[in-house]
Amino acid sequence: MLPRKATWMTSTPIELSALLDVWTATGRIGLVETASAVTVSRLDAVSTQMLLTATSQLGWQCDVQDQAGEPVLADYIDEDFGPFVTTIQKPVQGADRRLLTMVGLSQALQEKVDGFWQIASAQVSFATGAISFNPWNGGDIFAAAAPTKSPLDIVRETNEARLAPIDIRKWLVRSTVTEKLWEDSVFQTFAVASAPALVRSLASEIAGSRTVVFNGPPRLSIAIPDDSLLQELTLVGYQNLRTAVAWVYEDAPSAEQRHALFAAEFARSVIRNESIGVAFREAGCDILEGARLAFQLSLSDMSREAIKAQGDLRKAIADDMSKAAEGTRTLSGAIAVSIATGITLIAARSTGAAEPWVLSLVAAVVAGYLIVVAVNGWAYLKLQRRLRDQWRRRFYRFVPANDYDEMVTKPARSAEWPYHIIAFIALAVAVALSWMAISIWAAENPKKIIKNNSVNVEELNATPMPKSLPTLAPGTPTIPNPDVDGSKREN
């Protein structure tokens, strides 16, 4: 039995891609494309020969199996053994994903694969925030856009399986959609998958697989025709949809507020019996302008509140600086009084006009007063610093760090430095007074001890001695002196 020969030849991946796309569109074959291979099923003998010839010219490996799953050589392909299944091993070097067919592109868009893609049937390059779509063996260097807020964090869903896109960057085209790009088959395949995802990312709530809700007032529930949405949008509607999503998610901190404003404006502007594709095509631009205006007005209100908050902050810092200056003046006056008191104590000590213990006590009291005033001022400054840190974390986080340093941190430090200098001088004066008190006490105490416990020699010398001893009265008995009596007895 002779094999049937193919009469149609291909020489490039683009021609092979077109052939497979035509067969798939007519339902002639079944096709599944993965990252490394294309599996084609339900092939007849002629189609199998054509694929073998095409892949042989490209230098690609193609394995064939019959209906029993057994390998078949190219020379023994016959209708009696069909239908056949072929597995084409495509080259994968040079890109993060290489796609040969439109079916493979549709399947890859449902996967979590980003980066640099090459598609055989692509004619025009375009890029989203996460994927770069390029022709086969073409394209430039690609860098993903900065992360944005995920629609999952904003859009409510009543479904068990989340339908809102995880990352809006994958579906958001970076540049304006031109007529040439709109007519490209690869972009059309991408737009069919991206349009429902973009609509769901703008909705307030997703109710079911084909219904979205926009909170008003009034509340609007509208259906998403997945099959005909792109036809209803046309190029104008799709561009309006892309622009609206780009505005809502361009700034992560304000994305939730922008999303709520756009949803409210959309619900207010759309007619109840109007389809969502027509609404974006006819009124999408005006709805976006209304949401932008509402956002600008809200920013104006926020700006006024921010200016008022900054004014209150400046006033609080001015009060703190005034209190710090007042504390410096008070401490300076206490130092002056203490120095004057020290001079007075020295004068009183030299003249002996006061008791030494009184002078020591006065010096100790003045030194203690200086220490208490200085430490109290330091405790106040520390408390103010802690309060300013709390202001920064809780109430003034919106103020940029540089502005906050210029308005708060630097003025506060400038006001604190004079107090620190005066406080150290006060401590030095207190130490001097304390040394004075100890010196006076230590110098006077030994004198009193010597005065109370020693014999005054001058007073002893000044006492007159008696000229004669007193005589005893008659009849007073005397105590015999043994020395005198003994001498008399010997004589």
Side-chain angles (χ1 to χ4, degrees), residues 193-220:
S194 66
L198 295 177
V199 171
R200 291 187 177 99
S201 68
L202 291 175
S204 302
E205 181 180 341
I206 299 176
S209 60
R210 294 180 177 269
T211 304
V212 292
V213 177
F214 293 86
N215 292 332
R219 183 181 173 90
L220 173 65

Side-chain angles (χ1 to χ4, degrees), residues 237-311:
Y238 186 86
Q239 182 65 20
N240 292 338
L241 175 61
R242 187 204 72 84
T243 306
V245 175
W247 176 77
V248 169
Y249 289 94
E250 69 178 354
D251 182 49
S254 62
E256 190 168 356
Q257 181 184 7
R258 296 186 184 200
H259 184 272
L261 291 174
F262 183 87
E265 191 69 19
F266 189 88
R268 185 185 65 85
S269 303
V270 174
I271 303 174
R272 289 300 175 267
N273 57 356
E274 190 176 24
S275 65
I276 193 168
V278 175
F280 273 102
R281 186 180 73 238
E282 299 294 336
C285 184
D286 297 332
I287 293 172
L288 179 58
E289 289 301 321
R292 282 176 172 171
L293 179 60
F295 181 70
Q296 292 297 328
L297 292 176
S298 65
L299 285 183
S300 299
D301 294 337
M302 292 175 62
S303 298
R304 286 194 293 268
E305 294 297 329
I307 292 173
K308 181 180 178 182
Q310 293 182 16

Side-chain angles (χ1 to χ4, degrees), residues 318-329 380-381 384 419:
D319 293 340
D320 291 344
M321 294 175 63
S322 177
K323 292 178 181 179
E326 181 65 27
T328 303
R329 288 191 295 269
Y380 174 78
L381 295 179
Q384 291 302 316
Y419 183 85

